[in-house]
């Protein structure tokens, strides 16, 4: 990616920089490929809830997948039609359930029997009918970091298949909820398409179970989780959505008229964002050099939280490369972006771009150490 340093004039580091063209191209690509199959895509707001991103998501014709009441309200503020909003999460509060009901959202993805009962009760009080999908734990392993795999039985997410008989009994008496879908999500940053094929196999089996009980839901929602290339962001700026959708077209058995929904977050926004940070000091260690930068895990927590790798470039320097540890200012040893990486010779004042930071970057920022909350800017 070429960074036009002139566009950064007057901006105070650290900040997020979003490539508007790449974002729009990615959104248009997802939308047109999904349309070709008749699939519906909900952008997972938790990856990046920046209002400008949501406006572009809306302009591209996608819906959203929300995990909080505020994400629903932010989606609506960005123009997303409520009938395109799905609401997921293991711990929806009463107030958040009311927000969903008041706005007539598309669907509540329910993760437990007590949640179904509470939604039924609140919908009854409000004189509404809630559309729900059951988030079923498919017990499918995803080859990704253990913090971001969600589809295994011992996970806190979803309803286990052994509980489905009880769920159906509960649904017989909860008259203010209507079952319209089955929902699955096996994890994040998944690059092995076999994991999604395995999901399809499980969904087919689970559909048979429902079919045997004379239940055909309107839609299947297979969640998100498609990964991106963090090591070489320029190799594939737009992820392989075509290959991804093809897996479902080939392996998932939909019933007549049944609709297929996706909730993609990372794959849509990761590559369009970079964290721009300034080198404050270059310090010589015993055997290495440290580039001490003005961003820390308050701005981008993924390396500290999941040992995530982000490519880093010195966009101010054309000097020969040297080895550096790139570290932040926060008083924790985990505040390190990369160890022993090659960077063009660093000097105080140089700007570094930490790439592939559009997803779970700005969205997870904090003000720890009373630091100023990081802002995001968009290219013209
Ligand atoms: C986080 C999440 C997503 C999006 O995951 P990505 O890996 O960013 O695509 C989709 N659905 C649910 C239920 C989620 O929790």
């Amino acid at each position: 990616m070429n960074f036009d340093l002139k566009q950064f004039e007057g901006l105070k580091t650290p900040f997020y920089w979003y490539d508007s063209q790449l974002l729009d191209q990615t959104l248009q690509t997802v939308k047109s490929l999904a349309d070709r199959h008749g699939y519906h895509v909900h952008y997972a707001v938790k990856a990046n809830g920046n209002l400008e991103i949501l406006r572009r998501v809306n302009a591209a014709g996608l819906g959203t997948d929300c995990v909080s009441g505020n994400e629903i309200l932010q989606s609506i503020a960005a123009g997303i039609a409520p009938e395109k909003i799905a609401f997921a999460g293991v711990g929806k509060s009463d107030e958040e359930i009311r927000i969903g009901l008041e706005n007539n959202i598309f669907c509540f993805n329910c993760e437990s029997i007590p949640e179904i009962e509470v939604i039924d009760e609140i919908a009854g009080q409000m004189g509404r009918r809630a559309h729900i999908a059951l988030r079923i734990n498919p017990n499918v392993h995803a080859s990704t970091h253990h913090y971001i795999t969600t589809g295994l039985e011992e996970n806190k997410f979803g309803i286990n298949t052994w509980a489905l008989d009880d769920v159906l009994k509960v649904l017989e008496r909860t008259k203010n909820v209507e079952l319209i879908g089955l929902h699955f999500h096996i994890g994040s940053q998944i690059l092995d398409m076999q994991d999604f094929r395995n999901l399809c196999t499980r969904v087919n089996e689970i559909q048979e179970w429902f079919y045997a009980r004379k239940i055909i839901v309107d839609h299947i929602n297979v969640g998100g989780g498609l990964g991106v290339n963090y090591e070489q962001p320029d190799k594939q700026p737009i992820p392989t959505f075509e290959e991804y959708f093809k897996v479902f077209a080939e392996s998932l058995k939909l019933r007549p008229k049944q609709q297929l929904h996706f909730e993609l977050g990372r794959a849509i926004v990761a590559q369009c964002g970079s964290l721009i940070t300034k080198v404050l000091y270059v310090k010589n260690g015993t055997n290495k050099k440290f580039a001490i930068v003005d961003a820390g895990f308050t701005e981008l927590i993924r390396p500290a939280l999941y040992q995530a790798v982000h490519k880093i470039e010195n966009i101010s320097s054309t000097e020969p490369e040297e080895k550096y540890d790139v570290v932040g200012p926060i008083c924790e040893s985990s505040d390190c972006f990369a160890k022993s990486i090659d960077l063009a010779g660093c000097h105080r004042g140089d700007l570094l771009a930490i790439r592939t930071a559009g997803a779970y970057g700005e969205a997870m920022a904090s003000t720890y150490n009373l630091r100023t909350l990081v802002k995001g800017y968009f290219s013209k």
Side-chain angles (χ1 to χ4, degrees):
M1 187 175 289
N2 284 320
F3 291 93
D4 176 5
L5 295 182
K6 266 192 258 115
Q7 290 199 66
F8 296 169
E9 270 167 28
L11 301 182
K12 203 164 155 301
T13 57
F15 59 86
Y16 275 93
W17 183 252
Y18 298 110
D19 181 330
S20 308
Q21 285 74 34
L22 180 58
L23 173 60
D24 289 342
Q25 269 174 23
T26 307
L27 287 165
Q28 282 152 20
T29 305
V30 178
K31 178 70 168 116
S32 67
L33 290 170
D35 281 352
R36 209 178 288 170
H37 293 282
Y39 296 162
H40 308 270
V41 178
H42 303 260
Y43 164 66
V45 177
K46 78 171 191 282
N48 192 327
N50 184 303
L51 189 60
E52 179 60 24
I53 288 184
L54 295 183
R55 286 198 186 109
R56 288 168 187 266
V57 164
N58 181 51
L62 272 61
T64 57
D65 162 48
C66 299
V67 291
S68 73
N70 285 344
E71 286 190 357
I72 296 176
L73 296 174
Q74 179 94 325
S75 297
I76 291 170
I80 305 279
E83 64 267 21
K84 288 186 179 174
I85 299 178
F87 184 17
V90 282
K92 301 176 186 76
S93 73
D94 296 15
E95 189 189 344
E96 291 176 316
I97 291 168
R98 270 186 217 105
I99 289 172
L101 286 166
E102 267 160 19
N103 289 290
N104 272 320
I105 59 166
F106 163 60
C107 191
F108 291 81
N109 293 335
C110 294
E111 306 215 10
S112 66
I113 287 177
E115 180 192 334
I116 295 169
E117 291 169 335
V118 169
I119 292 177
D120 178 63
E121 186 186 327
I122 296 174
Q125 289 160 4
M126 294 173 68
R128 305 250 169 160
R129 199 131 198 269
H131 285 168
I132 69 160
L134 302 176
R135 176 170 181 177
I136 298 173
N137 198 327
N139 212 9
V140 168
H141 176 75
S143 335
T144 184
H145 192 277
H146 62 280
Y147 280 12
I148 50 180
T149 152
T150 59
L152 287 175
E153 222 166 58
E154 74 264 22
N155 232 289
K156 74 173 177 180
F157 300 101
I159 298 168
N160 289 321
T161 44
W162 50 256
L164 286 177
D165 273 317
D166 289 340
V167 170
L168 293 189
K169 274 181 217 134
V170 169
L171 287 175
E172 274 170 30
R173 61 176 162 78
T174 48
K175 299 294 179 203
N176 306 306
V177 300
E178 183 184 346
L179 179 66
I180 64 160
L182 301 179
H183 174 246
F184 306 86
H185 175 70
I186 55 172
S188 201
Q189 185 51 20
I190 297 166
L191 291 165
D192 186 349
M193 292 298 130
Q194 189 57 43
D195 291 340
F196 293 116
R197 259 180 228 113
N198 294 345
L199 170 63
C200 290
T201 306
R202 277 300 284 148
V203 175
N204 292 342
E205 289 165 8
I206 291 167
Q207 282 246 73
E208 287 297 334
W209 187 93
F210 279 89
Y211 195 63
R213 285 150 188 82
K214 300 192 171 57
I215 297 170
I216 302 178
V217 292
D218 298 345
H219 79 269
I220 301 294
N221 181 338
V222 286
L226 178 63
V228 297
N229 191 337
Y230 281 95
E231 281 84 11
Q232 297 170 285
D234 296 319
K235 198 172 153 198
Q236 205 155 52
I238 300 181
T240 52
F241 296 112
E242 193 161 7
E243 199 193 336
Y244 171 71
F245 287 137
K246 208 167 134 231
V247 168
F248 294 90
E250 285 174 357
S251 307
L252 192 71
K253 286 191 210 123
L254 291 174
R255 308 286 162 176
K257 291 199 196 154
Q258 202 168 46
Q259 302 292 304
L260 184 57
H261 292 244
F262 293 83
E263 303 168 335
L264 292 165
R266 186 191 311 271
I268 293 177
V269 288
Q271 297 295 17
C272 80
S274 296
L275 177 61
I276 307 297
T277 181
K278 196 158 66 186
V279 176
L280 295 173
Y281 306 102
V282 177
K283 177 161 119 175
N284 291 318
T286 321
N287 294 308
K288 53 169 107 179
K289 286 183 165 187
F290 292 96
I292 302 169
V293 298
D294 64 358
F297 70 57
T298 40
E299 285 71 39
L300 179 65
I301 202 172
R302 299 189 67 259
L305 191 59
Y306 322 112
Q307 297 99 41
V309 173
H310 285 264
K311 188 170 185 226
I312 304 179
E313 293 165 27
N314 184 340
I315 56 177
S316 302
S317 169
T318 51
E319 288 183 16
E321 291 189 337
E322 291 185 79
K323 294 255 183 247
Y324 292 91
D325 281 14
V326 179
V327 300
I330 297 160
C331 310
E332 305 255 357
S333 298
S334 63
D335 192 30
C336 172
F337 288 114
K339 285 208 163 93
S340 196
I341 57 158
D342 293 318
L343 281 180
C346 288
H347 297 279
R348 174 173 166 80
D350 285 356
L351 293 181
L352 306 189
I354 306 182
R355 302 286 308 278
T356 321
Y360 307 103
E362 189 183 349
M364 292 177 105
S366 77
T367 58
Y368 180 51
N369 287 188
L370 286 187
R371 286 164 62 83
T372 306
L373 191 63
V374 67
K375 283 193 183 133
Y377 300 95
F378 290 77
S379 66
K380 283 195 205 80

